[in-house]
Amino acid sequence: CLRGGLVGLMARRSLETVVGILAVLKAGGAYVPIDPEYPEERIRYILENSNAQLLLTQRELLEQVPFEGTVVALDDEQAYSDDGSNLEPASGPNDLAYVIYTSGTTGKPKGVMLEHRGLVSLELTFAHTLHTTEQDRVLQFASLSFDASCWEMFNALYFGATLYIPSTETILDDQLFERFMNEHAITIATLPPTYAAYLNSDRLPSLSRLITAGSAVSAEFVQQWKDKVQYYNAYGPTEASIATSVWAASTHDTERRAIPIGRPIWNHRLYILGAQNQLAPIGVEGELCIAGVGLARGYWNRPDLTAEKFIEHPFEPGERLYRTGDLARWLPDGNIEYLGRIDHQVKIRGFRIEIGEIEEQLLKIDSVQETIVIAREGKSGQELCAYLVAGRPLTLGELRSALAQKLPNYMIPAHFVQLPWM
């Protein structure tokens, strides 16, 4: 039995990915998703930091990263047993289900420990808010290393709906993507707003529910979709089991300038607190904090950071409260409006990024003396822009190549500006 053990899962978009996740969960372990596109150093760090003794992968990836533990190829028929009987339940609600590594301020990613109870609790939201049934066809869009992939998979599997997994090539071409959606009559899709903005609602007749998450949406975007599908805007950090609040658009919503992130989902509680942890009145901004069954256990091997972010609940003794670092305010209708970040964290195309991790890697490049990275509004939404001072002229290719060896693609700035001084 793997109960409590962490298992690395590095696989490309495929049926085997889902098989691997279910195998780990049924055996009582927790899976650690690793994107095969990550730089080798980052993959190695996650495997070593998590202390995983077992890695589930695919044959084409076996040589990608040296791993001293046991390796099983999910697409190798010899790895499967003929026994089709079900396993005895090995995990309870407080056992770990998965550990996802997100960007960290120290220059290294940090592992967030999520338990079964948060994952199971989402079933209520799927059933009563999204109204998922076994007739639905659910799209699996998100990267394995992004917790939205759990949301998509279990939204389908909890109800016996069908899960459809497009290839990376399909996702990168909006025409191929629309064709895929129509050929398989997809009814539920969860997409980053920056991606959905390139789609035409008139060309997706089977789509009945669209959920966006990961970054802000405009009122114009909602107007384009709300009469064609049931549209939802969702919000939630990895530390609170994927989603924490959901806003459902109505055909009567025509006056909103800012699109809210909604109300707390089932078994979640949201608070907006001032500097002294006092409750903020309606309309007054404060830090958005979360309580409830979805809270993570904390950060893997980071008790200091866990204590800083998961504080004692000021209103419910014995409970914990997660400080999101997000600014928000209550609206008079009971919804919440997101106002930005308190710290140096940003979201780019749905991925949460700590600016400090990028800056630290830039400073390791030969002759770079100073740097600062900021998020700016670009043609397709928020983009990262790096400003730097160096002892010699640096080319764009040189900078991108150096960062690509350390950081995933979504963390590499879109723009670099070299300055004579800062």
Side-chain angles (χ1 to χ4, degrees):
C1 178
L2 286 170
R3 184 166 185 174
L6 302 193
V7 178
L9 178 59
M10 185 172 72
R12 301 199 189 282
R13 306 178 61 82
S14 62
L15 171 63
E16 287 81 23
T17 303
V18 184
V19 171
I21 289 174
L22 292 178
V24 175
L25 295 180
K26 280 176 170 276
Y31 73 95
V32 181
I34 303 171
D35 192 328
E37 301 303 318
Y38 279 176
E40 180 180 327
E41 184 175 315
R42 196 177 187 88
I43 294 173
R44 191 191 305 272
Y45 174 81
I46 292 174
L47 287 170
E48 291 177 355
N49 183 261
S50 64
N51 196 31
Q53 303 299 306
L54 173 63
L55 174 63
L56 302 183
T57 186
Q58 292 161 315
R59 284 176 291 187
E60 64 174 300
L61 303 173
L62 287 175
E63 304 300 322
Q64 185 162 327
V65 177
F67 179 66
E68 295 180 359
T70 304
V71 179
V72 176
L74 291 163
D75 52 353
D76 181 0
E77 291 185 11
Q78 311 249 326
Y80 291 83
S81 164
D82 291 332
D83 183 2
S85 61
N86 211 348
L87 298 176
E88 289 293 323
S91 298
N94 298 318
D95 287 312
L96 286 183
Y98 57 98
V99 175
I100 283 189
Y101 278 77
T102 65
S103 182
T105 55
T106 62
K108 297 290 186 182
K110 58 185 183 294
V112 187
M113 301 183 286
L114 285 307
E115 299 173 340
H116 279 268
R117 59 182 187 155
L119 201 53
V120 171
S121 178
L122 287 175
E123 183 178 358
L124 293 168
T125 298
F126 296 149
H128 302 294
T129 303
L130 302 185
H131 307 291
T132 307
T133 70
E134 63 180 335
Q135 279 77 42
D136 277 307
R137 295 165 171 238
V138 182
L139 180 74
Q140 204 283 292
F141 178 92
S143 161
L144 174 64
S145 58
F146 190 29
D147 63 355
S149 62
C150 305
W151 167 278
E152 295 164 330
M153 291 179 199
F154 289 96
N155 186 17
L157 300 180
Y158 280 155
F159 303 95
T162 310
L163 185 69
Y164 287 84
I165 308 173
S167 66
T168 301
E169 292 72 25
T170 297
I171 287 176
L172 292 175
D173 185 320
D174 54 315
Q175 292 185 337
L176 288 178
F177 181 77
E178 286 185 356
R179 189 183 309 160
F180 180 92
M181 294 280 284
N182 291 325
E183 284 179 356
H184 300 291
I186 302 298
T187 59
I188 301 177
T190 302
L191 301 171
T194 48
Y195 187 92
Y198 287 97
L199 304 178
N200 186 328
S201 57
D202 292 328
R203 294 202 292 264
L204 299 171
S206 62
L207 187 65
S208 61
R209 276 144 292 169
L210 172 65
I211 306 102
T212 61
S215 56
V217 293
S218 66
E220 291 77 16
F221 176 89
V222 175
Q223 287 298 319
Q224 291 171 8
W225 286 94
K226 70 179 181 63
D227 295 329
K228 306 293 176 62
V229 299
Q230 177 58 64
Y231 170 74
Y232 302 91
N233 188 34
Y235 161 88
T238 302
E239 288 85 349
S241 296
I242 312 166
T244 299
S245 64
V246 174
W247 176 74
S250 163
T251 53
H252 305 297
D253 282 309
T254 56
E255 302 299 322
R256 292 187 185 271
R257 294 181 182 176
I259 302 304
I261 57 174
R263 305 166 186 252
I265 66 171
W266 297 74
N267 295 326
H268 285 235
R269 300 187 299 283
L270 297 182
Y271 303 84
I272 297 176
L273 304 182
Q276 306 302 320
N277 284 346
Q278 78 277 18
L279 292 170
I282 292 172
V284 176
E285 69 177 43
E287 183 175 11
L288 184 57
C289 298
I290 305 171
V293 302
L295 284 198
R297 185 183 295 178
Y299 299 102
W300 179 258
N301 289 336
R302 291 291 305 275
D304 54 335
L305 188 60
T306 299
E308 176 189 338
K309 293 293 187 180
F310 294 85
I311 63 172
E312 184 178 343
H313 201 307
F315 314 117
E316 297 182 31
E319 294 289 318
R320 296 182 308 147
L321 198 68
Y322 172 65
R323 306 177 66 113
T324 67
D326 288 329
L327 277 175
R329 65 178 179 178
W330 288 107
L331 299 175
D333 63 1
N335 283 297
I336 293 173
E337 181 183 357
Y338 175 84
L339 299 172
R341 290 291 300 176
I342 295 171
D343 55 19
H344 298 293
Q345 190 185 100
V346 297
K347 273 202 170 182
I348 304 294
R349 301 196 307 275
F351 290 98
R352 187 173 64 173
I353 297 169
E354 294 282 1
I355 292 293
E357 185 174 358
I358 305 171
E359 292 173 342
E360 180 153 331
Q361 297 302 337
L362 276 167
L363 288 171
K364 291 179 181 178
I365 298 174
D366 179 48
S367 81
V368 173
Q369 299 161 352
E370 292 181 86
T371 185
I372 186 168
V373 178
I374 63 172
R376 301 184 62 174
E377 196 65 34
K379 293 180 180 179
S380 58
Q382 291 273 296
E383 296 179 333
L384 291 172
C385 184
Y387 296 86
L388 57 103
V389 175
R392 62 181 176 84
L394 295 168
T395 67
L396 185 62
E398 190 176 355
L399 290 165
R400 285 189 169 152
S401 176
L403 289 181
Q405 295 175 37
K406 306 286 185 179
L407 300 172
N409 183 59
Y410 64 85
M411 291 182 69
I412 297 176
H415 309 282
F416 293 86
V417 181
Q418 188 165 343
L419 304 171
W421 63 84
M422 194 75 74

